[in-house]
Amino acid sequence: MSRQLHFFYDINLEFDTPVTEHAFTLRCIPPSFPGQEVLDVTLELEPGVPYTRQRDSFGNLMQIGRIAQPHSHFRYTVHGSARLDLEGRRQEADTPIYRYPSAYTTPSPAILACHQGLVLPENPAEKAWALAQAVAARMTYLPGVTGPSTTAAQAFDAGQGVCQDYAHLYLTLARLSGLSARYVNGLTEGEGASHAWCEVWLAGIWTGIDPTRNQWVDDSYLRFGVGRDFGDCPIERGVFLGQAIQRQTVFMKVCQ
Amino acid sequence: MDSMIRHKEQINQQLARYGVKFGIYKNGAFHERFFPYDPIPRIITAQEWRVLERGLRQRVDALNHFLRDIYGPKRILSDGVVPEDFVYRSPGYLPQCEGITPVGGIYSHISGIDLVKGKDGAWYILEDNLRIPSGASYPLIARDLCRRCSPDTFRHNGVLDNRNYGQLLRKTMDSVNTGGIHVVFTPGRYNAAYFEHSYLAEQAGAVLAEAGDLYVRDCTLYYRSIQGDQRVGAIYRRVSDEYMDPLTFEPESLIGIPNLMAAYRSGNVAVLNAFGNGVADDKGIYYFVPKMIRYYLGEEPILHNAPTYLPFYQEDMHYVLEHMDTLVIKDVAEAGGYGVIFGSNLTSQALDELKRSILTQPRRFIAQEVIDFQDLPILDGEVQVERKADLRAFVLTGADEITVWPSGLTRFSRNPDSFIVNSSQGGGFKDTWILSH
């Protein structure tokens, strides 16, 4: 069983006054790996500047470039198709960094107390599932409360957040429970915005789990990047010169 | 020697005139002050220096092996010599550097190794500084002024000339340069060591640059000059890792170079020192350096660590809790003489609190025996008094050789009861003479 997905992802950053010296790093092209075969992909940039491809230390594809001239918007559009097949996943060696806390996933006393109160099964897969239930029980999905720099500790205190916060809280608890777990971002079938979920290293296979939707990941999740947390693999990061106010519009569509 | 003492005021005036300053943050405000110079040099004989030189080269060699290993195959972890906890929980370990090999495989080009001489005559390593160790400029400029005030002193005493530091730095940069100019990169005017940055740039024939002067295009670093943009082949940066590239590390950093990491990863520029060195000069990792020397080089360490205990190990925890009042406890996350606690100075209540912290966070602390180190004479007004002093030796590692600068920064504590000599804690410095005989 496999599923072929067509994806379209379009981000437009508008600046109310022109900016210059805009350096960017994108991680907006899904890579191919066992279980995810990218059949074709196109990236378009506006303004149309050249970019360099690199892989970061987490294995993610990066597109790196710079717009020196004044510009009032920066738009990147990626589209293509990919074949997803969970059965195709291969065993991989564990990476110890995913067992340790990171900037976004450092447990606070409140999270430690919560973790101590959990009764978890011994079996790693059952444990991974139970942790997703624990996150779901403590969090309410509500956009606008948290932001890109919100840590798991802050989101836990708020009890509210979006997929990024669910993922960070899940990772914090999973690592406290002795699991190797990593942050994933990408797209899922449907329309809207990008999504974040987690992967847990179970019997040698990085197995996806989505704490926001409280379900195991299936063939409808297209992976862009992985890392210890959001900070390692943002889809777009940039800095520029100028005092502009930035407005971002996102359009995303994934269908069979 | 008498001539040196006579010139103390003259030298200090000259240092002031040349702006040899040290910045310090106190209560949130930036103050600049002169780094007091003491005219009585520390003297190291040629025979003693030969041992120090060999020992320092060996240590820095092993530390560079360790860094290559940690950001590569990690054999020292899989062979169980260093517990992985000490690497992966170290704030200086940067996974963003995994799999990147710097030019020539060198991570720590400029290493500042702090030592003290015990009353038993042996030298002990206090700590390794492999990120952006500062201080070479002070003895360098002081020597230069001394030679002007009292040329005879250096004619009659066989003192090794130390004025070649700039050339050594230049040679080290040349050996890893990927084709382009040399740059010394400073966070700017309000940095504690700004004087040193400008001085070293001048001495090494490098351009002094700040954030806006450099940019990355096509994974290559460029310097904007009035003659047009010039490619940079080696950057001696005096900015901490986390502020160096806002697109890889701290996103709010305004003193970094966006996408510098991409140029570095491509091998298009040498960065001195490399990123991620903090994992090797962590106070917790210090304990393992003698083991690294045996592991990577198959040699016995020539220079010794201060006797150190890791509460992380059960037997050490027991010893530390029993002997707290005679040990010095260091918080591994702190630097610059902060977070150093002498058990003997604590009230019994504070001692109990510290014990609780060690029990709950054993990985955060190391404990050391207090080394009874030799006092050095300094002039307090007209009177000669004895004060605690250490030595920061500078070890320069290029693509093909490791050189110990025949000098160093001797820092002393101005407070008679203090063992802490860090300049940020208000100490002074003196010249270090390495004799040719």
Side-chain angles (χ1 to χ4, degrees):
Chain A
M1 278 296 286
S2 72
R3 191 185 314 214
Q4 191 167 328
L5 293 179
H6 299 276
F7 56 91
F8 180 87
Y9 184 60
D10 179 55
I11 300 284
N12 193 16
L13 297 171
E14 284 175 283
F15 309 106
D16 66 343
T17 60
V19 301
T20 60
E21 294 292 332
H22 184 163
F24 60 84
T25 292
L26 305 175
R27 289 177 181 82
C28 66
I29 292 184
S32 286
F33 53 88
Q36 174 170 305
E37 187 189 355
V38 176
L39 304 169
D40 62 276
V41 63
T42 309
L43 170 66
E44 290 158 42
L45 299 182
E46 256 182 50
V49 290
Y51 60 88
T52 313
R53 295 157 212 261
Q54 275 193 356
R55 245 180 220 277
D56 68 16
S57 298
F58 307 96
N60 304 314
L61 297 175
M62 296 186 292
Q63 302 81 43
I64 296 160
R66 170 173 175 269
I67 310 161
Q69 301 310 316
H71 55 289
S72 300
H73 81 289
F74 175 48
R75 181 174 188 170
Y76 56 99
T77 311
V78 60
H79 53 90
S81 60
R83 185 178 295 121
L84 299 187
D85 181 8
L86 282 187
E87 306 289 307
R89 291 267 170 131
R90 295 278 176 273
Q91 288 215 334
E92 289 178 63
D94 185 18
T95 314
I97 54 166
Y98 298 127
R99 274 191 264 121
Y100 289 86
S102 60
Y104 283 89
T105 63
T106 302
S108 58
I111 293 181
L112 284 172
C114 160
H115 181 255
Q116 272 159 12
L118 297 175
V119 182
L120 295 170
E122 274 299 302
N123 174 290
E126 288 170 21
K127 195 194 280 183
W129 179 252
L131 289 167
Q133 310 314 305
V135 171
R138 281 159 186 82
M139 294 291 287
T140 305
Y141 190 89
L142 191 65
V145 180
T146 55
S149 61
T150 304
T151 63
Q154 291 163 341
F156 181 78
D157 288 345
Q160 295 166 328
V162 295
C163 55
Q164 176 181 317
D165 307 304
Y166 278 73
H168 284 152
L169 180 57
Y170 183 86
L171 294 173
T172 310
L173 293 171
R175 290 169 187 167
L176 281 173
S177 313
L179 296 171
S180 267
R182 65 189 186 185
Y183 186 91
V184 190
N185 62 33
L187 309 178
T188 57
E189 219 176 306
E191 286 184 25
S194 63
H195 191 48
W197 60 95
C198 303
E199 284 180 349
V200 185
W201 191 71
L202 296 174
I205 291 179
W206 284 107
T207 308
I209 189 162
D210 182 347
T212 311
R213 298 178 187 166
N214 200 5
Q215 63 187 32
W216 293 105
V217 159
D218 61 16
D219 284 339
S220 67
Y221 286 71
L222 180 70
R223 184 170 111 189
F224 278 9
V226 299
R228 291 166 302 165
D229 55 37
F230 167 77
D232 287 339
C233 52
I235 294 180
E236 185 262 344
R237 217 173 185 188
V239 289
F240 49 77
L241 286 184
Q243 297 274 319
I245 296 170
Q246 210 180 137
R247 204 165 64 94
Q248 177 179 295
T249 44
V250 184
F251 180 74
M252 180 287 283
K253 186 176 177 183
V254 178
C255 59
Q256 293 200 41
Chain B
M1 187 73 75
D2 289 343
S3 136
M4 297 293 298
I5 293 172
R6 277 200 311 278
H7 289 101
K8 174 184 176 183
E9 284 319 309
Q10 208 178 337
I11 306 275
N12 267 312
Q13 278 163 16
Q14 290 285 321
L15 288 170
R17 190 178 149 213
Y18 282 89
V20 184
K21 288 177 190 172
F22 187 86
I24 193 162
Y25 284 91
K26 202 167 191 181
N27 305 327
F30 183 79
H31 301 279
E32 259 186 346
R33 61 175 192 75
F34 296 106
F35 195 18
Y37 163 80
D38 182 78
I40 310 171
R42 176 203 277 280
I43 295 171
I44 298 174
T45 64
Q47 193 186 359
E48 196 174 9
W49 182 247
R50 271 194 293 275
V51 178
L52 279 176
E53 215 180 0
R54 277 178 46 232
L56 288 164
R57 275 208 299 260
Q58 178 194 54
R59 189 170 178 102
V60 170
D61 193 14
L63 287 164
N64 268 306
H65 270 92
F66 175 70
L67 284 160
R68 266 196 300 279
D69 190 18
I70 287 306
Y71 291 112
K74 302 178 181 53
R75 288 190 301 120
I76 201 163
L77 303 182
S78 49
D79 287 343
V81 179
V82 173
E84 65 165 42
D85 239 62
F86 281 85
V87 168
Y88 297 120
R89 285 192 201 278
S90 163
Y93 165 73
L94 300 180
Q96 295 92 335
C97 300
E98 281 287 346
I100 303 175
T101 310
V103 182
I106 309 300
Y107 283 79
S108 187
H109 310 79
I110 298 113
S111 313
I113 311 295
D114 294 347
L115 309 103
V116 289
K117 192 174 179 179
K119 287 214 166 111
D120 56 359
W123 287 90
Y124 293 92
I125 306 279
L126 275 191
E127 64 180 35
D128 306 293
N129 297 278
L130 311 179
R131 285 164 289 171
I132 44 174
S134 61
S137 62
Y138 302 106
L140 196 54
I141 194 162
R143 178 76 64 90
D144 201 45
L145 295 173
C146 289
R147 294 184 74 106
R148 276 189 231 167
C149 294
S150 174
D152 279 357
T153 307
F154 295 89
R155 212 166 291 143
H156 298 137
N157 295 292
V159 182
L160 289 186
D161 197 347
N162 74 348
R163 289 173 301 170
N164 61 345
Y165 187 78
Q167 285 102 293
L168 286 178
L169 186 56
R170 171 90 204 187
K171 221 171 114 192
T172 304
M173 292 180 82
D174 280 342
S175 79
V176 290
N177 189 299
T178 57
I181 61 166
H182 290 320
V183 162
V184 173
F185 184 64
T186 176
R189 166 82 186 73
Y190 291 104
N191 182 268
Y194 183 71
F195 157 75
E196 172 158 303
H197 305 159
S198 58
Y199 186 72
L200 291 181
E202 183 192 314
Q203 292 289 310
V207 168
L208 183 69
E210 293 182 31
D213 302 330
L214 299 165
Y215 70 93
V216 172
R217 188 181 73 221
D218 301 333
C219 295
T220 308
L221 182 64
Y222 291 94
Y223 170 71
R224 294 175 223 268
S225 80
I226 43 171
Q227 296 103 340
D229 296 354
Q230 290 177 288
R231 185 176 163 183
V232 178
I235 175 170
Y236 175 24
R237 49 87 182 210
R238 296 291 297 258
V239 170
S240 311
D241 289 356
E242 60 270 39
Y243 299 110
M244 278 304 286
D245 180 355
L247 298 186
T248 303
F249 305 112
E250 182 49 58
E252 303 298 322
S253 173
L254 298 174
I255 54 170
I257 308 162
N259 280 328
L260 175 65
M261 198 67 183
Y264 172 64
R265 188 182 289 109
S266 311
N268 288 340
V269 66
V271 179
L272 298 86
N273 290 347
F275 298 112
N277 284 6
V279 67
D281 68 7
D282 184 293
K283 289 190 177 76
I285 283 291
Y286 164 91
Y287 174 90
F288 297 98
V289 180
K291 293 177 195 288
M292 283 175 206
I293 293 172
R294 294 188 193 100
Y295 181 77
Y296 292 117
L297 309 177
E299 298 170 6
E300 272 308 300
I302 297 164
L303 295 171
H304 299 287
N305 273 5
T308 304
Y309 308 93
L310 290 185
F312 175 82
Y313 293 120
Q314 204 53 53
E315 65 270 27
D316 283 16
M317 171 73 92
H318 188 73
Y319 181 88
V320 170
L321 294 179
E322 290 291 301
H323 298 86
M324 286 270 285
D325 50 340
T326 61
L327 295 170
V328 49
I329 316 290
K330 294 181 178 176
D331 186 330
V332 301
E334 302 276 354
Y338 298 98
V340 177
I341 305 155
F342 288 83
S344 55
N345 293 348
L346 294 184
T347 61
S348 65
Q349 193 194 348
L351 212 53
D352 284 344
E353 264 171 47
L354 184 58
K355 278 185 186 173
R356 269 199 299 280
S357 299
I358 295 175
L359 276 165
T360 48
Q361 297 168 278
R363 161 68 184 88
R364 216 182 106 188
F365 298 94
I366 64 168
Q368 290 176 327
E369 302 286 358
V370 179
I371 300 175
D372 198 5
F373 51 103
Q374 285 185 12
D375 292 347
L376 289 184
I378 70 155
L379 274 189
D380 190 2
E382 299 294 307
V383 196
Q384 190 169 313
V385 294
E386 305 273 305
R387 290 290 182 268
K388 300 292 174 208
D390 76 349
L391 170 67
R392 172 167 291 180
F394 290 89
V395 184
L396 276 73
T397 306
D400 30 51
E401 63 176 328
I402 309 173
T403 310
V404 185
W405 181 39
S407 182
L409 174 66
T410 294
R411 297 177 297 183
F412 58 87
S413 150
R414 287 203 292 174
N415 174 349
D417 302 320
S418 176
F419 282 80
I420 299 175
V421 297
N422 298 58
S423 28
S424 47
Q425 301 277 344
F429 80 104
K430 49 171 73 216
D431 197 1
T432 305
W433 286 6
I434 313 298
L435 300 183
S436 57
H437 51 82

PDB file of all heavy atoms in Angstrom, chain B residues 5 13 54 60 80 84 185 223 239 282 285:
ATOM      1  N   ILE B   5      61.269  47.924  38.144  1.00  0.00           N
ATOM      2  CA  ILE B   5      60.432  48.461  39.211  1.00  0.00           C
ATOM      3  C   ILE B   5      60.376  49.986  39.134  1.00  0.00           C
ATOM      4  O   ILE B   5      59.319  50.583  39.295  1.00  0.00           O
ATOM      5  CB  ILE B   5      60.954  47.973  40.588  1.00  0.00           C
ATOM      6  CG1 ILE B   5      60.733  46.466  40.679  1.00  0.00           C
ATOM      7  CG2 ILE B   5      60.288  48.716  41.737  1.00  0.00           C
ATOM      8  CD1 ILE B   5      61.355  45.804  41.874  1.00  0.00           C
ATOM      9  N   GLN B  13      51.472  54.376  32.806  1.00  0.00           N
ATOM     10  CA  GLN B  13      51.021  55.574  32.081  1.00  0.00           C
ATOM     11  C   GLN B  13      50.964  55.320  30.579  1.00  0.00           C
ATOM     12  O   GLN B  13      50.043  55.735  29.893  1.00  0.00           O
ATOM     13  CB  GLN B  13      51.975  56.745  32.349  1.00  0.00           C
ATOM     14  CG  GLN B  13      51.679  57.448  33.661  1.00  0.00           C
ATOM     15  CD  GLN B  13      52.848  58.310  34.100  1.00  0.00           C
ATOM     16  OE1 GLN B  13      53.743  58.607  33.309  1.00  0.00           O
ATOM     17  NE2 GLN B  13      52.850  58.701  35.359  1.00  0.00           N
ATOM     18  N   ARG B  54      56.071  20.947  26.034  1.00  0.00           N
ATOM     19  CA  ARG B  54      55.705  19.590  25.589  1.00  0.00           C
ATOM     20  C   ARG B  54      54.327  19.217  26.123  1.00  0.00           C
ATOM     21  O   ARG B  54      53.490  18.665  25.416  1.00  0.00           O
ATOM     22  CB  ARG B  54      56.751  18.576  26.061  1.00  0.00           C
ATOM     23  CG  ARG B  54      57.975  18.497  25.148  1.00  0.00           C
ATOM     24  CD  ARG B  54      59.024  17.502  25.674  1.00  0.00           C
ATOM     25  NE  ARG B  54      58.465  16.230  26.107  1.00  0.00           N
ATOM     26  CZ  ARG B  54      58.698  15.669  27.313  1.00  0.00           C
ATOM     27  NH1 ARG B  54      59.469  16.278  28.207  1.00  0.00           N
ATOM     28  NH2 ARG B  54      58.163  14.511  27.615  1.00  0.00           N
ATOM     29  N   VAL B  60      46.730  20.128  23.980  1.00  0.00           N
ATOM     30  CA  VAL B  60      45.922  20.754  22.931  1.00  0.00           C
ATOM     31  C   VAL B  60      45.738  19.796  21.751  1.00  0.00           C
ATOM     32  O   VAL B  60      44.669  19.745  21.136  1.00  0.00           O
ATOM     33  CB  VAL B  60      46.550  22.097  22.504  1.00  0.00           C
ATOM     34  CG1 VAL B  60      45.882  22.646  21.254  1.00  0.00           C
ATOM     35  CG2 VAL B  60      46.441  23.110  23.645  1.00  0.00           C
ATOM     36  N   GLY B  80      33.435   3.954  25.626  1.00  0.00           N
ATOM     37  CA  GLY B  80      33.132   4.109  27.047  1.00  0.00           C
ATOM     38  C   GLY B  80      34.153   4.886  27.867  1.00  0.00           C
ATOM     39  O   GLY B  80      34.165   4.795  29.086  1.00  0.00           O
ATOM     40  N   GLU B  84      28.441   9.558  27.600  1.00  0.00           N
ATOM     41  CA  GLU B  84      27.826  10.447  26.609  1.00  0.00           C
ATOM     42  C   GLU B  84      27.093  11.622  27.248  1.00  0.00           C
ATOM     43  O   GLU B  84      26.983  12.689  26.660  1.00  0.00           O
ATOM     44  CB  GLU B  84      26.885   9.680  25.669  1.00  0.00           C
ATOM     45  CG  GLU B  84      25.675   9.085  26.352  1.00  0.00           C
ATOM     46  CD  GLU B  84      24.600   8.648  25.340  1.00  0.00           C
ATOM     47  OE1 GLU B  84      24.957   8.073  24.299  1.00  0.00           O
ATOM     48  OE2 GLU B  84      23.415   8.902  25.623  1.00  0.00           O
ATOM     49  N   PHE B 185      37.266  39.441  13.642  1.00  0.00           N
ATOM     50  CA  PHE B 185      35.862  39.839  13.740  1.00  0.00           C
ATOM     51  C   PHE B 185      35.523  40.151  15.190  1.00  0.00           C
ATOM     52  O   PHE B 185      35.661  39.309  16.071  1.00  0.00           O
ATOM     53  CB  PHE B 185      34.999  38.695  13.219  1.00  0.00           C
ATOM     54  CG  PHE B 185      33.529  39.004  13.177  1.00  0.00           C
ATOM     55  CD1 PHE B 185      33.033  40.004  12.361  1.00  0.00           C
ATOM     56  CD2 PHE B 185      32.635  38.278  13.944  1.00  0.00           C
ATOM     57  CE1 PHE B 185      31.672  40.278  12.312  1.00  0.00           C
ATOM     58  CE2 PHE B 185      31.276  38.541  13.905  1.00  0.00           C
ATOM     59  CZ  PHE B 185      30.795  39.547  13.084  1.00  0.00           C
ATOM     60  N   TYR B 223      34.168  40.687   2.462  1.00  0.00           N
ATOM     61  CA  TYR B 223      34.380  41.905   3.249  1.00  0.00           C
ATOM     62  C   TYR B 223      34.150  43.100   2.323  1.00  0.00           C
ATOM     63  O   TYR B 223      34.695  43.140   1.224  1.00  0.00           O
ATOM     64  CB  TYR B 223      35.811  41.921   3.803  1.00  0.00           C
ATOM     65  CG  TYR B 223      36.212  43.230   4.422  1.00  0.00           C
ATOM     66  CD1 TYR B 223      35.665  43.634   5.646  1.00  0.00           C
ATOM     67  CD2 TYR B 223      37.137  44.074   3.792  1.00  0.00           C
ATOM     68  CE1 TYR B 223      36.023  44.854   6.208  1.00  0.00           C
ATOM     69  CE2 TYR B 223      37.495  45.294   4.360  1.00  0.00           C
ATOM     70  CZ  TYR B 223      36.927  45.672   5.567  1.00  0.00           C
ATOM     71  OH  TYR B 223      37.281  46.874   6.119  1.00  0.00           O
ATOM     72  N   VAL B 239      33.596  36.541  18.694  1.00  0.00           N
ATOM     73  CA  VAL B 239      32.181  36.557  19.063  1.00  0.00           C
ATOM     74  C   VAL B 239      31.809  35.108  19.391  1.00  0.00           C
ATOM     75  O   VAL B 239      32.259  34.191  18.704  1.00  0.00           O
ATOM     76  CB  VAL B 239      31.339  37.090  17.882  1.00  0.00           C
ATOM     77  CG1 VAL B 239      29.854  36.894  18.131  1.00  0.00           C
ATOM     78  CG2 VAL B 239      31.647  38.557  17.614  1.00  0.00           C
ATOM     79  N   ASP B 282      34.476  22.446  28.641  1.00  0.00           N
ATOM     80  CA  ASP B 282      33.475  22.360  29.699  1.00  0.00           C
ATOM     81  C   ASP B 282      34.181  21.885  30.992  1.00  0.00           C
ATOM     82  O   ASP B 282      35.052  21.031  30.941  1.00  0.00           O
ATOM     83  CB  ASP B 282      32.476  21.307  29.203  1.00  0.00           C
ATOM     84  CG  ASP B 282      31.289  21.123  30.100  1.00  0.00           C
ATOM     85  OD1 ASP B 282      31.461  20.629  31.229  1.00  0.00           O
ATOM     86  OD2 ASP B 282      30.182  21.441  29.656  1.00  0.00           O
ATOM     87  N   ILE B 285      34.087  18.159  31.355  1.00  0.00           N
ATOM     88  CA  ILE B 285      34.943  17.410  30.424  1.00  0.00           C
ATOM     89  C   ILE B 285      36.412  17.469  30.862  1.00  0.00           C
ATOM     90  O   ILE B 285      37.184  16.543  30.615  1.00  0.00           O
ATOM     91  CB  ILE B 285      34.759  17.957  28.978  1.00  0.00           C
ATOM     92  CG1 ILE B 285      33.442  17.435  28.395  1.00  0.00           C
ATOM     93  CG2 ILE B 285      35.915  17.588  28.076  1.00  0.00           C
ATOM     94  CD1 ILE B 285      33.403  15.950  28.089  1.00  0.00           C
TER      95      ILE B 285
END
